[in-house]
Amino acid sequence: QVQLVESGGGLVQAGGSLRLSCAASGSIFSINPMGWYRQAPGKQRELVAAITSGGSTNYADSVKGRFTISRDRAKNTVYLQMMTLKAEDTAVYYCALDSRMVRYWGKGTLVTVSS
């Protein structure tokens, strides 16, 4: 089993910053592909950023240049540094990890950006 625990969400003003963390535990390897997704009210869940086993990253167009995904392999933790936040970034942010063709999800952390 795999457990993912997100933290770092909260209320921030537009233009501000937040850093989300996702700690993984269980039957994992430090190189598992991981990613951040988000779901705003009334919308589908969408990919925000992902990091592969080799360390390559990719981002949604809407967050390029503002968000950065990174990982600490020793801590089995992935981060999402979010800068210059906008009201449209408001959503529940979910961490995901891929292992043996199964995608595991965290419970999510709410990010609210006030304009």
Side-chain angles (χ1 to χ4, degrees):
Q1 272 292 357
V2 175
Q3 296 80 42
L4 302 173
V5 179
E6 302 101 332
S7 61
L11 175 64
V12 62
Q13 288 188 333
S17 302
L18 280 176
R19 189 177 81 154
L20 305 183
S21 299
C22 173
S25 61
S27 301
I28 60 171
F29 296 97
S30 63
I31 58 171
N32 288 103
M34 296 185 71
W36 287 96
Y37 292 72
R38 67 185 180 187
Q39 187 167 18
K43 295 188 176 181
Q44 289 188 331
R45 191 172 298 189
E46 62 176 358
L47 174 68
V48 176
I51 186 164
T52 69
S53 56
S56 299
T57 58
N58 66 288
Y59 299 91
D61 288 343
S62 59
V63 307
K64 282 181 181 177
R66 299 190 298 121
F67 291 11
T68 303
I69 188 170
S70 62
R71 72 193 305 165
D72 184 330
R73 290 184 177 182
K75 296 181 179 180
N76 287 327
T77 300
V78 65
Y79 304 97
L80 185 68
Q81 179 67 50
M82 304 185 294
M83 311 283 285
T84 320
L85 283 160
K86 306 175 181 179
E88 50 264 43
D89 294 319
T90 294
V92 178
Y93 284 71
Y94 297 91
C95 176
L97 179 148
D98 293 339
S99 177
R100 298 183 178 91
M101 301 183 69
V102 175
R103 175 160 293 171
Y104 297 88
W105 296 94
K107 293 183 178 181
T109 184
L110 177 62
V111 172
T112 303
V113 184
S114 62
S115 56

